[in-house]
Structures are given as structure tokens and as C-alpha cells.
Amino acid sequence: MSDKYAVPNKLPGKTVSVLKHRKRRIQQDKSVLEQKRTERIKRLRKAKTHHKFRRAESFVMGYLKAERTSKRIRQTFLRTNVTEQSAKSAADTNHKLLLVMRHAGKKIFDKTTSEIFKTLRMGQRHNAVFLENNKENQLLLRVIEPYVVYGFPTLSTIRELLFKKGFANIDGKKTAIQSNTMVEEQLGDKGVICLEDIIHEIYTVGPNFAAVNEFLCAFMLSSPRDGWKKKVSVSFKRGGEYGDRGNGINELIARCL
């Protein structure tokens, strides 16, 4: 039989280096990410340097809103003894825990109100935090009441918030809570080693409530499904939305998750 009809043992082919192709793909991904980061930095710098034209009326409205808020705070303190009322409202309720959500005030021009929101870690709209139901916090809520809704959360609401919107503050960075090991590393010296311990400490307002609350970032919620049903500028006691709504806060938070 002629050799020209024989099938060779080795098929012809081109030598392919898998590591070489993998290195090229990794380099391409890095270059794409670097390009996106550079473009984002350029956009941010351009936005900062660009001065948008503002009418004089916008500055006037800012001063008017700040003056109106300052006047409301002064009248609140002058009309009634707010300190005694705050202590009484904290003592009358059996609930030790408050859940506060900022629902209004995209731009706040009053300095006092802004400082209170910074103290309570609610710098943006739809931020929610847990607070102890005491005289000091009741007094702060009286001042910022038109901008917040608050009430008494149930155990299921606390659990839903932590599992769906819970983030930890580690070394000044907002980090997702991925495992109980992370909780134990940060709060193990306080006896808190898992997420269920955090839920129990918050619900009971235990001795380590301040440390656990500092470990957690403020919850970033959404606008309520189907929108606000009543007037946002009217208090809940008068048929509106803002202010103390007691156990009704749980239904609202469920619509915001």
C-alpha cells in the first residue's frame, strides 16, 4: 500500500498557550475598568467646575425656609415645656426602642436641623435608624418632627431590615454583612457573635445597644410602594403622614423595603 494514503499519527495543529490567552483577557479587563474609572473621574471634575446659573429667587427662598424652620423651633420651645413632655412621652410608653425614618427635606437650610440629622446619622432622605426611647431622643425628634416618621418596630420588622438592608461600618467603610465571622470579629468582645445576637440586642435595647447601633450603618430605604397616601406636610395625629405613628411604622417600613 502506498504511503500517500496513510493517516498520520499526529493531526496538524497550531500550538495554543492557554496562559497567554488568559493573561491577555485579564489585561483587557483591567484596561476597561481603568478607562471607566478615568472617565468617571473626568465627569465628576467637570461637574464640580461647572457653575450652574441660579436665579436670585432661589437664594431668597433658601433664607426664607431657614427662617421659617428657626421660627417653628422657637415657638415649639416657647409654647410648651418640651423637656417635660419629652420625658413624659418616653416614660408613658412601655416600648424602649424607636425606629426613625427621614422622609422629607432633600435640602435643609436650617443649621440646627442639619446638625441634628448628622448626629442621628440621617444625612439623606429615606435613611432609617434605631434610637433608644429616652428623653433626649424624644426632644430631638420634637425639633425635626416635620421631616421624619417614627414609631415602635416589631421583631419581624427589625429582622427584615437587617437581612435586606443591613450594612456594617468597618474602618469607616460601608460593608455588606456577609457572615457571622465578621460580626464576631467586630463585636465579639461584647458577647455579640452572630446576626441573631444583633437582633436581640436591638429589640431589647440591651447594654451593648450603643455599640451594635454604631456597628450598623443607617438603613437606606426606598419610597413607599403606591406612594404616600396622605399629606406629607400634615402630622399623623391630624390625618397626615409625618411624626409619631406608634405601631403603624411597621406597615410603612414593609412598603419601603
Side-chain angles (χ1 to χ4, degrees):
M1 186 175 179
S2 178
D3 291 339
K4 70 177 182 177
Y5 296 108
V7 179
N9 293 330
K10 187 176 180 182
L11 295 175
K14 187 178 180 181
T15 305
V16 178
S17 175
V18 178
L19 295 177
K20 187 176 181 181
H21 285 300
R22 183 185 300 171
K23 185 178 180 181
R24 189 181 72 248
R25 288 196 301 270
I26 293 173
Q27 192 65 32
Q28 286 177 351
D29 294 341
K30 285 184 178 179
S31 60
V32 170
L33 289 175
E34 189 65 30
Q35 184 178 1
K36 288 183 178 179
R37 191 180 296 111
T38 306
E39 291 177 355
R40 181 172 176 273
I41 292 173
K42 286 182 179 179
R43 287 198 303 270
L44 291 175
R45 287 179 179 174
K46 187 176 180 180
K48 287 181 179 179
T49 55
H50 178 68
H51 298 286
K52 187 178 179 181
F53 176 77
R54 292 182 60 185
R55 296 180 178 275
E57 291 85 350
S58 63
F59 294 98
V60 175
M61 286 302 298
Y63 285 110
L64 288 176
K65 289 179 180 178
E67 183 63 28
R68 195 180 305 140
T69 306
S70 300
K71 185 179 179 181
R72 178 187 60 80
I73 295 173
R74 287 196 301 270
Q75 288 177 349
T76 303
F77 280 92
L78 288 174
R79 285 178 181 175
T80 57
N81 193 337
V82 183
T83 307
E84 290 183 2
Q85 286 189 355
S86 302
K88 187 175 182 298
S89 61
D92 288 346
T93 57
N94 296 323
H95 302 275
K96 298 180 181 179
L97 182 67
L98 289 172
L99 176 59
V100 186
M101 172 186 166
R102 175 178 170 180
H103 77 287
K106 186 176 181 180
K107 290 184 179 180
I108 296 178
F109 300 94
D110 181 62
K111 187 177 180 181
T112 304
T113 309
S114 300
E115 291 296 326
I116 292 175
F117 275 124
K118 287 181 182 178
T119 304
L120 298 179
R121 300 181 301 137
M122 291 191 291
Q124 300 178 4
R125 279 195 308 172
H126 303 141
N127 279 156
V129 294
F130 294 113
L131 294 178
E132 185 179 357
N133 187 16
N134 54 26
K135 181 181 71 174
E136 291 77 13
N137 289 330
Q138 285 282 353
L139 184 59
L140 293 178
L141 291 176
R142 294 270 180 153
V143 177
I144 62 172
E145 193 170 16
Y147 303 100
V148 295
V149 292
Y150 59 95
F152 311 120
T154 59
L155 185 62
S156 60
T157 300
I158 298 172
R159 183 175 278 108
E160 288 288 321
L161 275 172
L162 284 170
F163 279 109
K164 291 184 178 180
K165 300 289 184 178
F167 284 87
N169 184 11
I170 300 176
D171 298 330
K173 295 181 180 179
K174 187 177 181 180
T175 310
I177 304 175
Q178 299 175 347
S179 64
N180 290 330
T181 307
M182 181 187 298
V183 178
E184 188 175 2
E185 288 176 355
Q186 299 295 323
L187 300 172
D189 55 340
K190 303 286 193 304
V192 180
I193 60 173
C194 62
L195 203 57
E196 288 297 328
D197 288 345
I198 291 179
I199 295 172
H200 178 267
E201 197 72 23
I202 290 174
Y203 183 67
T204 59
V205 191
N208 300 314
F209 175 78
V212 170
N213 207 17
E214 187 178 354
F215 169 73
L216 295 173
C217 294
F219 302 99
M220 190 64 195
L221 305 181
S222 305
S223 298
R225 289 190 299 273
D226 304 327
W228 297 97
K229 298 180 180 179
K230 301 173 184 177
K231 284 190 175 181
V232 183
S233 58
V234 180
S235 67
F236 185 76
K237 294 179 180 178
R238 294 188 298 164
E241 291 286 357
Y242 78 77
D244 183 11
R245 53 176 59 210
N247 295 321
I249 191 70
N250 298 287
E251 184 269 334
L252 175 64
I253 296 299
R255 291 195 293 127
C256 293
L257 288 174

